[in-house]
Amino acid sequence: GLSDLSRDDFFRIGSRVVPAGTALGHGLTAEAADRLGLPEGTPVGAGLIDAHAGGLGTVGTAGDPTRDLAYVFGTSSCTMTTTAAPSFVPGVWGPYHSAMVPGMWLNEGGQSAAGAAVDQLIDHHPYAPDAHRLAKAAGQSLPGWLADRVGGRDVTTLVDGVHVVPEVLGNRAPHADPHRRATVMGLGMDRGPDSLLALYLATLCGLGYGLRQIIAAQAAAGAKVDRIAISGGAGRHPLVRQILADTTGKPVVAPETDEPVLLGSAMLGALACGLRKDAGDAMRGMSRAGVITHPDAAAIQRHDERFAVFEALQALAARATA
């Protein structure tokens, strides 16, 4: 039935494609302006989906959007990489022209479950009900409560012997296999908070190793990045950003704004009304880097050893579910 969409020169869905931020029509209609409390004719820019608007709001802090991989870390995760020329990456979507940064190419990957994988796996632990009660009493989420328990201790020591491939909903990128499932190795008889903490940290490490695979696959196809620009609720804790930096070997940049999706949308509005001449001008003038978390050299070496185990378990799990 999709052929119906092509009738009358694609009238139902439109046949004219314009770059994001292009001023549309004559701006706000009288009715829309009245409801929004804005002047009639206020410019309206062509929009982006939420993740891409968030990418626009995060990848320009270095002055060059091709340097940063946008990593939206929430219930799932989304990776967005910008290139000047198209890069075809096996297992990663794209390249799409002008899908995020007008005039440039976008490759999009991600993990089908990220924050949701953390919740799913730690809730299996026998201490999870007690930990939930303690976290609630402290006014925190369970992942946040667990992250605070680490203090200044070494993560690779706390997770020693525990390995997690957190693919509870398959592997979106770079293996593009929806049938894979999570693997946990190294659990013993400990039913207390330390064992739960180790499981939580090993799951975060597993997500970092999956991100490392995406970055490597893209680099091999010519889409290299220098940094990870993080957004999303699951990435707000400093410990999470440090683990991602150490597992990937890339600095993790947190944008100054708490709402990069809204910032990216504001950039589109600035383009539509002529306050900014192009997307590069908007990103340079409106986005700022906040905290930059650098990888620890000693931790990188320890994570290299764990990454080898991760890939071996991942390959074994893929064969088991084939």
Side-chain angles (χ1 to χ4, degrees):
L2 292 179
S3 59
D4 289 348
L5 298 177
S6 66
R7 293 179 181 174
D8 301 321
D9 194 25
F10 295 91
F11 175 78
R12 291 188 179 185
I13 60 175
S15 58
R16 181 178 171 224
V17 179
V18 297
T22 299
L24 301 178
H26 301 289
L28 286 179
T29 64
E31 179 183 1
D34 180 64
R35 293 191 179 190
L36 292 171
L38 295 169
E40 182 178 351
T42 296
V44 176
L48 292 170
I49 66 171
D50 53 357
H52 292 177
L56 195 65
T58 57
V59 299
T61 59
D64 179 359
T66 66
R67 287 188 57 193
D68 289 347
L69 174 141
Y71 185 62
V72 185
F73 189 7
T75 302
S76 61
S77 79
C78 178
T79 66
M80 294 169 287
T81 304
T82 303
T83 57
S87 294
F88 293 85
V89 186
V92 176
W93 302 341
Y96 307 118
H97 189 252
S98 293
M100 186 172 78
V101 179
M104 305 194 82
W105 294 84
L106 172 71
N107 286 94
E108 184 172 334
Q111 294 154 317
S112 299
V118 173
D119 292 339
Q120 175 76 355
L121 291 169
I122 63 178
D123 278 347
H124 281 296
H125 195 279
Y127 191 74
D130 291 332
H132 272 294
R133 285 192 290 270
L134 292 170
K136 184 177 181 181
Q140 295 178 285
S141 67
L142 180 52
W145 182 81
L146 288 168
D148 282 348
R149 287 180 61 86
V150 173
R153 292 179 290 175
D154 174 53
V155 168
T156 55
T157 300
L158 292 172
V159 299
D160 187 34
V162 181
H163 301 269
V164 176
V165 180
E167 296 175 347
V168 293
L169 278 177
N171 182 289
R172 182 191 297 177
H175 300 295
D177 184 352
H179 303 294
R180 298 190 183 197
R181 291 297 178 262
T183 301
V184 180
M185 187 189 82
L187 295 184
M189 290 294 290
D190 188 352
R191 301 171 62 88
D194 289 342
S195 175
L196 173 60
L197 179 59
L199 178 61
Y200 164 68
L201 294 174
T203 303
L204 286 179
C205 289
L207 291 170
Y209 301 144
L211 177 58
R212 174 173 170 166
Q213 289 181 327
I214 295 171
I215 292 172
Q218 293 188 151
K224 297 180 179 179
V225 294
D226 297 330
R227 312 187 307 179
I228 298 166
I230 194 169
S231 62
R236 289 179 178 171
H237 199 285
L239 174 75
V240 174
R241 298 196 295 269
Q242 188 65 60
I243 289 176
L244 291 176
D246 293 341
T247 52
T248 62
K250 301 289 184 183
V252 175
V253 183
E256 187 177 65
T257 177
D258 289 331
E259 298 292 347
V261 173
L262 298 184
L263 176 59
S265 301
M267 290 178 182
L268 300 178
L271 290 175
C273 65
L275 288 177
R276 298 290 175 179
K277 63 181 180 179
D278 55 36
D281 181 37
M283 288 187 288
R284 287 189 298 271
M286 299 174 68
S287 61
R288 298 284 186 276
V291 177
I292 301 178
T293 304
H294 294 278
D296 177 82
I300 289 175
Q301 184 175 357
R302 294 191 293 270
H303 280 294
D304 284 346
E305 297 171 358
R306 289 182 55 85
F307 180 63
V309 177
F310 173 87
E311 291 204 301
L313 287 175
Q314 187 184 53
L316 180 62
R319 291 198 297 270
T321 57

